């Protein structure tokens, strides 16, 4: 084997692993390929061996032996127990300074555990979130690597080379220690959940409010994609809505069962946010909306429940379309703001020092939530890395403020029409909660003190206090 400056192994050659291996090879690396069953390795080399320099490794030991030190091995297998089994097989064969990379959708707590255990034996472990699906894996994904700075020095340049490029900048950057990369990928997926829910609500409102066909709504989304809503998800929404089912001749969206599935990253995002005390209501509503869609027996039983007593109609078609556009834009900004808040909270909790501007940069291309306004998000954090919330950045404060009247009309219309729009409504409630001079939480604190002596603080002096509710209701300082 000839000496090479860059070399990497990929183990786990399902579609994502195979496409990443091909991407590495196309970008000049020698790629050692391995799979538990050699048939997949054989098939990859037979079909795509001409794309670059591949080395067939029939066994784990063959893979190890084919690599120069420090070894770089990308694991692309199912998250959870299968990943642990592969690590347990490979790690004892490695030397100090070698690097294992997990490119799956691992839970960040698992990544922290694995990184800590491998650090004890001198092996670097990188938890790399990879977004972009099958096409991104082959042609340029967004990559979010977490681990030690030393490990990034070893694998970062190669990952940056295969990542998507926007304005000459790779959509890959060092995120932070241990589980930071997989945490950021988890939040990325949570934002993705919210984004898709908001798009679905916009479609539902346009269809029911206007009586528009899916093809007509596809044209609306195509137009939106040429403005400030430009994004991958808006783009493919137009394509899905325009698609016609070959078997029936009906719009594709009408023959798909209305029960959304999920693989867990959205739930993880919400669970983590609860632990961190960060309100990610838009993401939570998207997760719960999918859960609701997945209970057809309850929905069938409730189908006869009464709805609005009056008929809702749209008098101004053009105005309503614009209102929905504004509601979609403003609610999307809220979803991203909540996601960045969650990343900031975890960064502080775990000492990761995640750069929000860098995260906006690497999400601009390759990933599912890539969108035009990520350039604006990057600029907002470049201007002020300590933003208390993205919503107060001057650009977004102005844009969301300008959209709020249409946003409010859309939420009102949804309520009047009996159309579920939990994403739009919760995003607006969050916005109004943030901007409120005083919240009703003062009453909640009074109630907590009444039934549980949980104490409260006052607006006029420091300290904690309790009212003797069951006695003379005098107040004591604690």
């Amino acid at each position: 084997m000839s000496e090479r400056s860059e070399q990497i192994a990929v183990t786990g050659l399902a579609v994502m692993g195979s496409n990443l291996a091909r991407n590495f090879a196309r970008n000049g690396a020698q790629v050692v390929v391995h799979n538990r069953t050699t048939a997949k390795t054989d098939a990859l080399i037979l079909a795509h061996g001409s794309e670059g320099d591949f080395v067939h490794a029939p066994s784990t030991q063959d893979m190890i032996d084919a690599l120069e030190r420090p070894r770089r091995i990308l694991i692309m297998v199912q998250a959870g127990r299968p990943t642990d089994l592969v690590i347990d097989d490979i790690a004892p064969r490695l030397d100090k300074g070698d690097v294992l990379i997990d490119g799956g959708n691992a839970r960040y707590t698992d990544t922290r555990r694995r990184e800590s255990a491998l650090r004890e034996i001198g092996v670097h472990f990188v938890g790399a979130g990879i977004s972009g699906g099958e096409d991104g894996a082959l042609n340029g994904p967004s990559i979010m690597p977490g681990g030690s700075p030393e490990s990034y020095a070893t694998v970062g340049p190669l990952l940056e080379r295969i990542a998507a490029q926007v304005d000459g900048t790779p959509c890959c950057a060092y995120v932070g220690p241990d589980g930071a990369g997989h945490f950021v990928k988890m939040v990325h997926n949570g934002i993705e959940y919210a984004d898709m829910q908001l798009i679905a609500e916009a479609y539902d409102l346009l269809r029911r409010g206007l009586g528009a066909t899916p093809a007509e709504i596809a044209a609306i989304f195509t137009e939106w994609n040429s403005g400030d809503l430009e994004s991958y998800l808006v783009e493919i929404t137009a394509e899905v809505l325009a698609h016609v089912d070959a078997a029936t001749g009906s719009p594709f969206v009408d023959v798909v069962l209305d029960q959304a599935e999920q693989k867990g990253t959205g739930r993880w995002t919400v669970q983590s946010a609860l632990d961190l005390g960060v309100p990610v209501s838009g993401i939570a509503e998207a997760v719960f909306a999918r859960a609701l869609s997945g209970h057809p027996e309850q929905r069938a039983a409730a189908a006869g429940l009464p709805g609005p007593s009056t008929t809702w109609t749209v008098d101004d078609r053009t105005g309503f379309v614009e209102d929905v556009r504004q509601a979609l834009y403003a609610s999307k900004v809220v979803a991203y703001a909540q996601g960045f808040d969650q990343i900031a909270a975890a960064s502080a909790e775990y000492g990761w020092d995640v750069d929000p501007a860098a995260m906006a940069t690497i999400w601009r291309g390759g990933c599912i939530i890539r969108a035009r306004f990520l350039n604006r998000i990057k600029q907002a954090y470049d201007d002020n890395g300590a933003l208390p919330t993205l919503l107060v950045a001057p650009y977004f404060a102005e844009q969301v403020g300008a959209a709020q009247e249409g946003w409010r009309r859309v939420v009102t219309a949804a309520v009047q029409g009996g159309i579920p729009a939990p994403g739009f409504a919760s995003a607006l409630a969050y916005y109004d909660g943030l901007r409120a001079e005083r919240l009703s939480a003062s009453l909640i604190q009074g109630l907590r003190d009444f039934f549980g002596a949980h104490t409260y603080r006052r607006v006029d002096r420091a300290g904690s206090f309790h009212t003797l509710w069951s006695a003379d209701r005098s107040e004591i300082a604690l």
Side-chain angles (χ1 to χ4, degrees):
M1 182 182 65
S2 61
E3 290 292 321
R4 291 184 173 272
S5 59
E6 291 186 308
Q7 189 186 45
I8 192 166
V10 178
T11 181
L13 299 177
V15 175
M16 285 291 290
S18 294
N19 282 2
L20 285 166
R22 293 170 61 193
N23 193 346
F24 282 120
R26 289 176 174 184
N27 280 280
Q30 183 182 69
V31 188
V32 180
V33 286
H34 169 261
N35 195 74
R36 184 174 56 85
T37 56
T38 57
K40 285 190 175 180
T41 313
D42 295 335
L44 171 64
I45 292 179
L46 179 64
H48 305 291
S50 62
E51 295 180 351
D53 188 357
F54 293 98
V55 175
H56 187 302
S59 70
T60 300
Q61 192 60 51
D62 290 329
M63 176 180 68
I64 300 296
D65 293 341
L67 291 168
E68 302 159 357
R69 296 183 182 87
R71 301 177 179 96
R72 294 175 286 196
I73 302 173
L74 173 63
I75 300 169
M76 293 300 300
V77 301
Q78 184 180 351
R81 180 63 177 159
T83 299
D84 281 325
L85 291 173
V86 171
I87 292 171
D88 290 345
D89 181 36
I90 295 175
R93 309 169 192 260
L94 298 180
D95 297 318
K96 289 184 177 180
D98 290 345
V99 184
L100 273 179
I101 312 160
D102 176 14
N105 262 339
R107 197 164 191 168
Y108 78 97
T109 49
D110 286 340
T111 303
R112 299 192 77 207
R113 167 178 56 80
R114 292 162 181 157
E115 193 276 338
S116 177
L118 290 172
R119 192 185 335 125
E120 291 295 319
I121 62 171
V123 173
H124 296 291
F125 186 71
V126 174
I130 301 175
S131 177
E134 299 173 13
D135 181 72
L138 182 61
N139 297 309
S142 173
I143 309 178
M144 296 149 257
S148 66
E150 294 82 6
S151 67
Y152 193 77
T154 301
V155 303
L158 190 50
L159 295 178
E160 290 175 12
R161 188 170 301 167
I162 70 162
Q165 308 284 319
V166 175
D167 299 329
T169 300
C171 294
C172 173
Y174 177 64
V175 177
D178 55 76
H182 275 144
F183 186 93
V184 167
K185 174 56 164 58
M186 176 192 74
V187 174
H188 163 285
N189 284 23
I191 295 172
E192 178 185 309
Y193 272 59
D195 208 341
M196 286 192 285
Q197 175 65 26
L198 295 167
I199 287 171
E201 290 177 18
Y203 153 75
D204 199 21
L205 283 158
L206 291 171
R207 188 158 192 191
R208 295 212 238 174
L210 304 178
T213 66
E216 290 170 334
I217 301 172
I220 292 171
F221 273 90
T222 297
E223 181 180 351
W224 286 352
N225 197 50
S226 65
D228 54 13
L229 276 175
E230 180 188 346
S231 67
Y232 174 69
L233 285 172
V234 169
E235 175 189 346
I236 67 171
T237 296
E239 293 192 30
V240 171
L241 289 175
H243 184 58
V244 175
D245 176 55
T248 64
S250 300
F252 169 76
V253 73
D254 287 346
V255 302
V256 176
L257 191 66
D258 63 339
Q259 297 175 26
E261 298 179 0
Q262 50 187 312
K263 292 186 176 180
T265 48
R267 288 195 301 269
W268 295 349
T269 306
V270 177
Q271 290 165 353
S272 165
L274 289 171
D275 291 337
L276 292 167
V278 179
V280 293
S281 51
I283 298 170
E285 290 293 354
V287 172
F288 292 138
R290 290 197 192 189
L292 177 62
S293 77
H295 287 278
E297 72 292 341
Q298 289 182 322
R299 293 167 57 199
L305 294 177
S309 58
T310 57
T311 302
W312 169 62
T313 58
V314 173
D315 297 323
D316 179 0
R317 179 187 178 94
T318 302
F320 184 68
V321 171
E322 175 59 15
D323 283 351
V324 175
R325 187 195 69 81
Q326 291 178 340
L328 180 56
Y329 180 86
S331 299
K332 281 164 68 80
V333 173
V334 168
Y336 280 76
Q338 292 179 346
F340 275 94
D341 287 348
Q342 185 172 357
I343 291 170
S347 181
E349 176 72 17
Y350 300 119
W352 287 337
D353 195 25
V354 178
D355 179 358
M359 298 308 97
T361 299
I362 65 177
W363 286 351
R364 294 184 305 165
C367 71
I368 303 302
I369 65 169
R370 59 186 183 266
R372 176 187 291 189
F373 68 29
L374 277 160
N375 284 312
R376 296 287 189 177
I377 295 176
K378 175 186 181 301
Q379 188 61 54
Y381 283 111
D382 278 340
D383 292 343
N384 181 3
L387 274 175
T389 169
L390 184 64
L391 289 163
V392 302
Y395 176 81
F396 289 109
E398 179 182 352
Q399 294 296 307
V400 174
Q404 67 161 320
E405 294 304 327
W407 190 10
R408 294 181 191 283
R409 285 192 293 268
V410 165
V411 172
T412 301
V415 173
Q416 290 175 334
I419 301 171
F424 285 157
S426 69
L428 181 58
Y430 177 83
Y431 175 77
D432 283 338
L434 274 184
R435 67 178 194 83
E437 183 177 347
R438 186 165 170 80
L439 294 169
S440 58
S442 56
L443 176 58
I444 293 172
Q445 283 300 92
L447 296 172
R448 293 179 70 244
D449 189 62
F450 190 108
F451 67 70
H454 292 300
T455 75
Y456 52 88
R457 288 172 294 161
R458 297 177 58 95
V459 299
D460 53 358
R461 58 184 184 271
S464 295
F465 301 87
H466 169 57
T467 293
L468 302 175
W469 297 102
S470 59
D472 62 358
R473 300 202 174 186
S474 60
E475 182 180 78
I476 59 173
L478 300 172

